[in-house]
Amino acid sequence: MNPLNRLVVATLPLVPKPIVRGIASRYVAGEKLEDAMSTVARLNAEGCMATLDVLGEDVTRLEETEETVSAYARALDEIASRRLDSNISVKLTALGLKMDPAFARAQFARIVEAARRHDNFVRIDMEDSSVTEETIRIFLEFRERYPKVGLVLQAYLRRTADDARRAAAVKANVRVCKGIYVEPPQIAFQDREEIRDSYAKTVETLVAAGCYVGIATHDPIVVDRAKATIARHKLAREAYEFQMLLGVAGTLRRRLVAEGHRLRVYVPYGDAWYAYSVRRLKENPSIAGHVVRGILRGGR
Ligand SMILES: Cc1cc2nc3c(=O)[nH]c(=O)nc-3n(C[C@H](O)[C@H](O)[C@H](O)COP(=O)(O)OP(=O)(O)OC[C@H]3O[C@@H](n4cnc5c(N)ncnc54)[C@H](O)[C@@H]3O)c2cc1C
């Protein structure tokens, strides 16, 4: 990270909220469900599918999870009534996983029931390594009850080769990503190439087992390797999808859609947009440069 970006990231909490909001508007659909619905409608019109993420993770009080559960239920109702092409992505820590796993399961069960009513799909996002095993277990439990539940595996974790075999054994629907949390070298590859190799191997293991794979990346090299795997296995268009974050790598996204691949955009929205934006800014220092420019211009 260059010194200026490092400084920006360190002083981010001091940056006025309106400036962060201006930058965040590219990566977050808005605060309200209505904002999310119009973003999804626009993406659908561009030939992309969507997955909705109600922002809010790592709650400190279990009562806070109630709003998340009802926000997902409302989102599922609206997706159905507007006939939009979108599923949902859920973070189990937003349902209290780190405080009370049994409670989080019960809350997740309510979201899964809401999805079942609309025959929609629920992806469980993967979070930091303290919850990897519990998240996989919860996925395996719920998948037995409702097949339209999916998992995420992070290529940077050394354990992922084993987890991919576990997922392959049940023909899971898996999103593969590099992994976003800072993890120590004992458990996670740090080297860019090692992570790309692990990514390609994970996709290969899953595809070879007949799993539906979501290839979540903006890295053109990872995309090309995945395309080679898709071609080698002669996968039908409906057997996989690419996935990208809202506001990131628009050119690559449009190219993949034009080539005929299915592509899903991750659409975060909700009151917790500020925490999400700060995390995005911290993880991608190049965006921090935009913060500086925002400050110099007086913000928007
Ligand atoms: C749909 C989707 C779902 C995800 N779900 C999870 C999850 O459940 N758990 C998890 O740990 N991680 C998740 N991630 C994040 C993922 O693990 C990576 O941290 C992130 O995608 C960056 O890795 P990359 O493969 O795009 O490659 P990189 O090499 O990091 O990025 C390639 C290029 O893409 C651009 N880029 C990448 N990320 C951003 C960004 N945030 N903002 C602006 N530009 C960016 C940059 O130009 C960068 O040079 C998800 C990512 C996507 C796309």
Side-chain angles (χ1 to χ4, degrees):
M1 200 188 293
N2 78 36
L4 181 60
N5 285 343
R6 202 194 313 264
L7 181 71
V8 171
V9 167
T11 54
L12 210 50
L14 307 175
V15 176
K17 261 193 172 188
I19 293 176
V20 180
R21 183 194 290 266
I23 298 153
S25 62
R26 187 173 147 199
Y27 304 101
V28 178
E31 283 181 28
K32 304 280 173 252
L33 177 58
E34 189 55 43
D35 302 325
M37 291 297 111
S38 43
T39 300
V40 171
R42 178 175 55 76
L43 289 165
N44 285 176
E46 291 172 14
C48 299
M49 307 174 288
T51 185
L52 281 187
D53 167 32
V54 176
L55 293 173
E57 50 203 278
D58 251 346
V59 289
T60 49
R61 290 177 303 119
L62 291 178
E63 303 89 84
E64 294 172 50
T65 65
E66 208 49 43
E67 179 47 34
T68 304
V69 173
S70 48
Y72 274 113
R74 284 197 303 275
L76 287 160
D77 288 344
E78 280 301 306
I79 290 168
S81 71
R82 296 181 193 218
R83 299 178 187 280
L84 293 173
D85 190 346
S86 180
N87 59 36
I88 57 169
S89 290
V90 178
K91 288 188 174 58
L92 295 176
T93 61
L95 304 178
L97 183 65
K98 287 190 181 172
M99 299 169 72
D100 184 344
F103 180 86
R105 276 177 170 79
Q107 295 294 64
F108 184 58
R110 292 170 59 200
I111 294 176
V112 171
E113 275 317 302
R116 187 200 297 272
R117 280 198 293 280
H118 296 298
D119 192 31
N120 207 333
F121 177 89
V122 184
R123 171 85 54 197
I124 308 176
D125 283 344
M126 187 55 84
E127 302 179 70
D128 69 76
S129 59
S130 70
V131 291
T132 309
E133 184 56 31
E134 191 68 3
T135 302
I136 294 174
R137 284 201 193 134
I138 292 176
F139 160 73
L140 290 170
E141 282 164 35
F142 276 84
R143 196 185 169 281
E144 294 214 334
R145 296 195 230 163
Y146 183 58
K148 292 191 171 181
V149 176
L151 178 68
V152 177
L153 292 178
Q154 298 155 320
Y156 68 3
L157 289 187
R158 295 178 191 274
R159 58 176 288 164
T160 287
D162 291 335
D163 292 335
R165 283 188 283 273
R166 286 163 84 189
V170 297
K171 268 208 181 189
N173 179 321
V174 183
R175 171 197 298 155
V176 183
C177 65
K178 287 186 180 173
I180 213 164
Y181 303 86
V182 179
E183 301 287 2
Q186 293 79 3
I187 63 163
F189 300 115
Q190 311 289 322
D191 178 73
R192 219 178 154 73
E193 284 310 319
E194 272 188 308
I195 297 170
R196 283 180 176 143
D197 283 349
S198 165
Y199 198 115
K201 283 181 192 143
T202 306
V203 171
E204 173 65 35
T205 302
L206 296 167
V207 166
C211 296
Y212 184 95
V213 184
I215 302 145
T217 183
H218 318 93
D219 181 344
I221 294 174
V222 172
V223 166
D224 284 346
R225 289 192 193 168
K227 278 189 192 169
T229 307
I230 290 161
R232 194 160 14 87
H233 286 271
K234 298 188 173 57
L235 288 192
R237 183 174 184 269
E238 293 70 32
Y240 68 93
E241 65 189 43
F242 285 96
Q243 299 184 351
M244 294 191 184
L245 300 173
L246 183 67
V248 179
T251 308
L252 180 58
R253 181 174 101 197
R254 283 185 288 277
R255 196 166 74 222
L256 287 169
V257 172
E259 287 170 1
H261 300 284
R262 301 206 312 158
L263 193 143
R264 190 177 301 278
V265 178
Y266 190 98
V267 178
Y269 76 99
D271 299 337
W273 64 269
Y274 181 74
Y276 178 84
S277 311
V278 169
R279 190 154 67 89
R280 284 274 101 88
L281 289 166
K282 280 187 177 163
E283 88 214 4
N284 191 328
S286 66
I287 309 172
H290 297 305
V291 182
V292 177
R293 282 192 288 279
I295 295 167
L296 294 178
R297 280 204 309 263
R300 265 175 300 131

